[in-house]
Amino acid sequence: MKTKDTTLKMETLSELTNDAFSKGYTESFKVVTSGLSTADGSIVYNPQDIRISNFYRFEGFSDPQDNSILYLIETNDGKKGTLIDAYGPDADAKISSFIRQVEIIGKA
């Protein structure tokens, strides 16, 4: 008799990033002094101009410095993309400050 494996496999940061890309989250956002920027810096968004549609946390098994978080972001003008940060003591202060100001944060 064959048993069914019900163990959940944790997806990696790269797997979820690739999955997000395939779902249209193609912009690589970054946080700059004035807000959330597109990769090329041509558009900068304020916290009220975006919503976080989902986020994922990753914990390193052997190294606490491997902790990271992936945000899936949608802008008020229809752009979709990702933002990656460390979390915990290694989190980027600019990113943390910006994320705390975002009013709409969902978790699917």
Side-chain angles (χ1 to χ4, degrees), residues 13-81:
L13 176 60
S14 61
E15 288 172 332
L16 283 173
T17 301
N18 289 337
D19 184 55
F21 189 86
S22 73
K23 293 178 180 173
Y25 290 86
T26 57
E27 188 68 51
S28 293
F29 292 113
K30 59 185 175 182
V31 174
V32 296
T33 304
S34 54
L36 183 76
S37 172
T38 55
D40 64 5
S42 64
I43 304 172
V44 177
Y45 299 95
N46 293 313
Q48 64 271 19
D49 297 331
I50 70 157
R51 73 182 202 79
I52 297 172
S53 55
N54 209 347
F55 62 92
Y56 304 91
R57 289 189 179 160
F58 304 89
E59 296 181 12
F61 290 110
S62 60
D63 186 353
Q65 292 182 328
D66 287 342
N67 294 342
S68 59
I69 187 163
L70 168 66
Y71 296 102
L72 302 185
I73 296 174
E74 298 179 26
T75 66
N76 61 355
D77 63 355
K79 290 197 182 302
K80 293 169 64 174

Side-chain angles (χ1 to χ4, degrees), residues 31 85 90-100:
V31 174
D85 188 18
D90 294 321
D92 183 306
K94 281 192 305 190
I95 294 175
S96 298
S97 177
F98 181 86
I99 295 298
R100 279 193 300 272

